[in-house]
Amino acid sequence: MSYITFEKVSKVYQNRWFALEDVSFEIDKGEFVFIIGPTGAGKTTLLSHIYLKEFPSSGEVQILGYSSKTIKRHEVPFLRRKIGVIFQDFKLLHDRNVLKNVTIALEVTGVPSGVARERAIEILRELGMADKISKMPNELSGGEGQKVAIARALVREPFILLADEPTGNIDPDSADEILNILKRVNDRGTTVIVATHNYAFLDKVVRKRVISLQAGKVIKDEKFYIK
Amino acid sequence: MRNFILSETLGAYKSAKGMAWISIAVSFVLILIFGVSLYLSSTVYNIFQIEKKNIEIDVYIKGDIPEPFKNRLYEIIKQFAGVEDIDFISKEDALKVFSQRYPQYSDILGVFSEVPFPESYVIQLTPYWKRPDLIRHLVTEISVLPGVDEVYAGSDWIAKLSRISMLFIGISLILLVGLFLAISYVIYQTIRLIINARKELIEILDLVGATKSTIEIPYLINGTIYGFLGGLFAAIVLKLVIMGSKSLFFFKLPEYGVIYPLLVVIGLVVGLVASYLSFEEILP
């Protein structure tokens, strides 16, 4: 059974701007998918439909058994607990240190503080950030900031990891490191979906699928992308 | 979760500390004004109730009517609706009461050859009939009976007291509505400010799967605490003023224990409602 199904999904703003138009595809467990396209192609909108920040104007999105048509508002947080999301601007909380930025994802779901702390330290260690747990976000480099964001997304062991231009704000070396982390996460069975406009990235992942977007439409869906 | 709620509640307070204290101060002043109005209403209402309890109708009998006629009058009055009991006050009883109440004038009475007071019936009313309008009606009915010289009930004074009492209660209710709106507005704006200052956090909490109530609770707690503290400070100040009334005003003010917790509860409820409305409007 597919993890994610888009069925004739359109998203229209102000009754005339199509951010997505008649988009259909399925993504299975364990896939590594690039959503690629120029700025304004609808990549972020598409990702927003997966964690149901946005709902389709028409069509249906099914994610991990939830449907955009039938899901209740109070069920959305429970879907989001199964999905990790990272962004170009990291979205870290600047009033708390690295560890607290990660534990917050567990604490809000009722995980006891001690357990949350242990799990957060473990994941930060895995990402090579063990020595930075008490640093504040403004003391981190771009790459480190994104690693903290990844740690926050992974600490709940999500089924799906969404990355919206994850390397847009970091130097090339750190970008490679982030991509390697995403590959490792995918190797463990997590479905990873990366939205990017950087075609150079595609060569760095061997087994991947590439969905190309342009003006809100899927113009190509290559399951075994070869350059 | 408890730790999270606590730390976020504290964080929310810290993000708009100044505005939070302005909310508390405004709540305090407004609830205190309401408390004073409520106190005055209670006092007037209590006086009204005491006076109402003591209310009785004095029916003065003409001096020249024969004894059987007096008994007949007694029987007729007893039949009236609202009459609970009747006491006959002879001239001698009236003299005794006068001497007890005004001992300084007892010598004057010596100049009279006979007791100058008329005989009378004192009517006790059933509780329902202790209403100014009903008393007036009864007085009119009794005063036209043969053998009745004059009827006195003091119902005008009771009616005035009743009107004053209602006026105070009305003012208190208007104040309550005004206070509710004013405090709600200030707390609403404070919570709005806090939410705007923490929009990034709320966005992230939403992203990582926090339920609406988990996100909302710290702000509700903040608003509730602001209202609660405003009410608590108002209750303390009012209590201190009443306790110190003897030295402040040279007489002891009566105390109504129920007012203090009521002020605290009002503050708390207004704070809770205002912060809830604020959150619902900004982040529905």
Side-chain angles (χ1 to χ4, degrees):
Chain A
M1 188 194 153
S2 301
Y3 264 17
I4 300 165
T5 306
F6 272 59
E7 210 179 306
K8 294 184 182 303
V9 171
S10 292
K11 180 70 180 179
V12 190
Y13 293 110
Q14 294 169 341
N15 286 329
R16 50 192 172 137
W17 305 111
F18 276 85
L20 293 176
E21 195 175 345
D22 211 19
V23 172
S24 297
F25 59 80
E26 287 185 2
I27 294 176
D28 292 329
K29 184 186 175 194
E31 280 195 82
F32 194 115
V33 183
F34 280 107
I35 309 286
I36 198 139
T39 304
K43 304 185 292 294
T44 300
T45 308
L46 190 146
L47 292 190
S48 301
H49 280 76
I50 298 176
Y51 63 98
L52 291 185
K53 185 188 174 195
E54 306 251 17
F55 283 74
S57 306
S58 63
E60 184 182 8
V61 181
Q62 287 178 25
I63 323 106
L64 301 168
Y66 291 98
S67 162
S68 62
K69 279 187 172 168
T70 55
I71 192 168
K72 306 267 190 304
R73 281 278 169 192
H74 69 266
E75 290 174 330
V76 173
F78 297 95
L79 165 69
R80 290 191 184 156
R81 291 175 193 185
K82 296 173 181 176
I83 301 172
V85 192
I86 58 171
F87 299 91
Q88 181 173 2
D89 60 355
F90 321 144
K91 293 201 189 298
L92 297 180
L93 297 167
H94 293 268
D95 62 342
R96 58 201 78 196
N97 66 22
V98 165
L99 184 63
K100 286 189 174 164
N101 261 283
V102 179
T103 54
I104 197 167
L106 292 171
E107 283 177 341
V108 295
T109 57
V111 176
S113 299
V115 178
R117 194 184 145 82
E118 262 175 46
R119 269 206 245 168
I121 290 174
E122 192 185 315
I123 198 93
L124 283 165
R125 188 178 296 131
E126 218 175 287
L127 296 175
M129 295 287 290
D131 56 336
K132 304 274 184 338
I133 58 170
S134 43
K135 294 254 188 237
M136 297 303 279
N138 59 7
E139 297 174 292
L140 304 173
S141 69
E144 289 169 338
Q146 193 58 291
K147 282 188 195 172
V148 177
I150 293 175
R152 186 181 63 202
L154 293 181
V155 75
R156 281 178 290 111
E157 296 170 355
F159 293 87
I160 302 166
L161 179 65
L162 305 176
D164 191 1
E165 301 280 7
T167 57
N169 267 350
I170 52 183
D171 61 86
D173 287 343
S174 301
D176 287 347
E177 204 181 340
I178 295 300
L179 197 60
N180 285 330
I181 291 169
L182 297 181
K183 279 193 277 183
R184 284 208 312 264
V185 171
N186 178 243
D187 288 342
R188 274 189 256 163
T190 306
T191 301
V192 175
I193 303 171
V194 181
T196 181
H197 62 272
N198 187 353
Y199 285 81
F201 253 22
L202 305 185
D203 301 333
K204 293 176 180 169
V205 181
V206 181
R207 241 176 6 90
K208 74 254 170 182
R209 173 177 171 190
V210 179
I211 297 175
S212 303
L213 279 183
Q214 197 162 26
K217 289 180 185 166
V218 174
I219 53 166
K220 221 187 279 177
D221 184 353
E222 298 155 284
K223 285 224 172 179
F224 302 99
Y225 174 85
I226 302 161
K227 195 181 172 188
Chain B
M1 183 74 92
R2 207 172 26 190
N3 285 352
F4 167 78
I5 301 275
L6 279 176
S7 72
E8 290 315 311
T9 303
L10 198 64
Y13 158 71
K14 280 181 184 166
S15 61
K17 222 187 271 184
M19 197 61 194
W21 281 102
I22 289 173
S23 287
I24 295 168
V26 171
S27 306
F28 158 68
V29 172
L30 292 173
I31 296 175
L32 184 62
I33 292 170
F34 172 70
V36 170
S37 157
L38 192 65
Y39 180 82
L40 292 174
S41 305
S42 305
T43 306
V44 175
Y45 185 74
N46 265 14
I47 295 171
F48 171 62
Q49 288 302 322
I50 291 165
E51 288 303 319
K52 216 168 108 174
K53 205 180 279 175
N54 295 336
I55 204 164
E56 52 188 28
I57 298 175
D58 297 326
V59 181
Y60 297 104
I61 308 166
K62 284 178 180 162
D64 52 355
I65 61 167
E67 201 61 32
F69 207 92
K70 279 184 210 165
N71 293 337
R72 179 79 188 117
L73 186 61
Y74 176 89
E75 290 303 327
I76 293 170
I77 294 174
K78 213 173 173 188
Q79 300 300 315
F80 277 103
V83 175
E84 191 172 70
D85 198 13
I86 306 177
D87 288 324
F88 176 71
I89 307 291
S90 65
K91 292 182 173 198
E92 290 69 29
D93 292 337
L95 176 63
K96 214 185 284 173
V97 171
F98 182 85
S99 304
Q100 275 167 1
R101 274 194 202 165
Y102 310 104
Q104 68 272 32
Y105 299 124
S106 35
D107 293 347
I108 302 169
L109 295 171
V111 301
F112 295 102
S113 53
E114 60 176 278
V115 178
F117 300 114
E119 289 176 327
S120 63
Y121 287 117
V122 176
I123 303 171
Q124 307 296 330
L125 299 169
T126 56
Y128 178 75
W129 274 75
K130 289 181 177 176
R131 280 172 39 188
D133 53 332
L134 295 177
I135 293 169
R136 257 198 307 274
H137 170 76
L138 204 56
V139 167
T140 315
E141 298 244 308
I142 294 172
S143 48
V144 297
L145 293 175
V148 172
D149 187 20
E150 198 185 342
V151 183
Y152 176 78
S155 56
D156 288 347
W157 146 247
I158 290 294
K160 268 182 200 154
L161 204 58
S162 164
R163 278 199 295 274
I164 294 171
S165 167
M166 288 303 137
L167 182 73
F168 270 101
I169 291 170
I171 291 172
S172 295
L173 286 176
I174 292 167
L175 273 178
L176 182 65
V177 174
L179 153 135
F180 191 90
L181 293 175
I183 298 178
S184 292
Y185 181 74
V186 177
I187 293 180
Y188 170 90
Q189 291 299 346
T190 307
I191 297 299
R192 205 179 147 92
L193 199 74
I194 294 175
I195 290 173
N196 279 322
R198 295 169 76 78
K199 227 165 189 167
E200 201 183 24
L201 168 72
I202 292 169
E203 194 187 333
I204 289 167
L205 293 178
D206 190 38
L207 186 74
V208 297
T211 57
K212 189 181 171 213
S213 58
T214 307
I215 299 173
E216 197 174 28
I217 285 171
Y219 304 95
L220 297 189
I221 294 177
N222 263 278
T224 308
I225 289 176
Y226 303 159
F228 168 79
L229 287 178
L232 183 70
F233 294 153
I236 290 171
V237 168
L238 191 64
K239 169 94 181 161
L240 289 175
V241 169
I242 290 167
M243 272 169 62
S245 60
K246 204 160 186 188
S247 48
L248 282 171
F249 314 116
F250 307 107
F251 58 88
K252 179 94 183 77
L253 289 169
E255 253 198 280
Y256 309 109
V258 73
I259 287 183
Y260 312 119
L262 188 67
L263 296 185
V264 178
V265 169
I266 286 173
L268 193 137
V269 171
V270 176
L272 177 67
V273 171
S275 46
Y276 176 76
L277 293 177
S278 180
F279 196 89
E280 284 299 309
E281 199 195 307
I282 301 167
L283 302 165

